[in-house]
Amino acid sequence: MGQPVASRGRAATPTVGKAMLNKYARAFFTRVLTPFAAFLIRRGVSPDTVTILGTAGVMAGALVFFPRGELFWGTIVITLFVFSDMVDGNMARQLGRSSRWGAFLDSTLDRVADSAIFGGFALWYAGDGDNNVLCAVSIFCLASGQVVSYTKARGESIGLPVAVNGLVERAERLVISLVAAGLAGFHKTFGVPGIQVLLPIALWIVAVGSVVTLVQRVVTVRREAAEADAAADTGTSPQSTSPRSTSPESNSAENTSHSSEASS
């Protein structure tokens, strides 16, 4: 799997905080994961295989551990396999490959992994977690995350740049929910009192943040569509756009296997 196909439109300008975190975190993990990626290449493993196995591992961690309330161990398993999302891109760069199929596969399986995580939370709260409200919030997080990603992908598919970074993109959704789940798991696994409230708080934050992000993207698409239609009516060209590599959740050469709209 290789670099994504560049999409039309200008890249949304990331916030300073996101840009700095993206720059230094990715530089660190690139150094750490490059030897492992090279080892897999020598063993004849393809980036596509890493993507598929990584998604399977995330699904197993979410759907086996979370419904039983094993939030800590489920988060540990998921976190280990989430790194495959960076390994496949690293492998693609080392192999010098560029693949539309790879970008499509990676983006599609990101959706599957996200659904498994929030589906696991919903199953927990529908079962032994015994909280229908939080079950509903988990399902809402699952659905809204898919719609948030779709709005940007759909906007770009009709030729709009969708130049906006939402409040809560894929990376933020995963970090907030998984960190909270892992910490909340300390209550059952290690007997730490009171800490289990972190997951409900996180789910509400993700739910509200997803709504805000959805509104941001819809408003942006509406404005850009109006500008494009006005430009077409007057026979002028809208503001020129430059190709960009898309990736979440997004933004650097490290994400050579991603498409941003599917990932964010």
Side-chain angles (χ1 to χ4, degrees):
M1 191 159 45
Q3 285 187 324
V5 180
S7 65
R8 289 169 48 183
R10 63 184 180 276
T13 303
T15 61
V16 174
K18 284 186 181 180
M20 293 294 288
L21 179 62
N22 185 70
K23 176 182 177 182
Y24 292 108
R26 291 194 176 280
F28 170 76
F29 284 113
T30 295
R31 289 194 298 270
V32 171
L33 296 175
T34 293
F36 179 62
F39 169 78
L40 293 178
I41 291 172
R42 291 194 300 270
R43 302 290 295 180
V45 179
S46 71
D48 285 357
T49 300
V50 172
T51 302
I52 294 170
L53 291 178
T55 302
V58 170
M59 292 178 65
L63 298 178
V64 173
F65 291 94
F66 284 172
R68 298 186 301 174
E70 299 289 348
L71 301 176
F72 176 78
W73 293 114
T75 300
I76 293 297
V77 172
I78 290 170
T79 301
L80 291 175
F81 282 100
V82 159
F83 282 106
S84 68
D85 209 34
M86 300 180 70
V87 173
D88 57 10
N90 194 309
M91 293 172 67
R93 272 200 318 282
Q94 292 189 46
L95 292 169
R97 293 179 181 173
S98 179
S99 167
R100 288 178 174 85
W101 161 250
F104 170 81
L105 178 66
D106 194 64
S107 302
T108 300
L109 294 186
D110 279 348
R111 306 280 70 74
V112 174
D114 293 357
S115 297
I117 291 170
F118 289 103
F121 293 146
L123 289 172
W124 160 243
Y125 285 118
D128 292 341
D130 194 23
N131 192 317
N132 289 337
V133 172
L134 290 176
C135 175
V137 173
S138 299
I139 294 173
F140 180 82
C141 290
L142 188 162
S144 61
Q146 308 298 323
V147 176
V148 164
S149 296
Y150 175 79
T151 53
K152 197 168 187 180
R154 183 68 178 116
E156 291 193 337
S157 74
I158 59 176
L160 301 176
V162 196
V164 59
N165 274 322
L167 177 65
V168 177
E169 296 183 312
R170 182 176 186 254
E172 288 79 14
R173 292 194 299 270
L174 292 182
V175 169
I176 292 171
S177 57
L178 290 178
V179 168
L183 292 175
F186 275 64
H187 174 69
K188 180 175 181 178
T189 305
F190 303 108
V192 179
I195 202 168
Q196 68 272 20
V197 301
L198 291 178
L199 181 56
I201 292 172
L203 290 174
W204 279 107
I205 290 173
V206 170
V208 173
S210 295
V211 171
V212 173
T213 304
L214 178 60
V215 171
Q216 288 176 304
R217 292 189 174 183
V218 170
V219 169
T220 298
V221 169
R222 179 179 174 83
R223 173 179 54 79
E224 292 175 348
E227 292 173 353
D229 290 343
D233 290 342
T234 59
T236 60
S237 299
Q239 182 178 356
S240 62
T241 60
S242 58
R244 65 185 175 97
S245 174
T246 56
S247 138
E249 29 306 22
S250 306
N251 304 330
S252 79
E254 170 63 28
N255 295 303
T256 53
S257 67
H258 295 287
S259 121
S260 76
E261 308 341 318
S263 295
S264 53

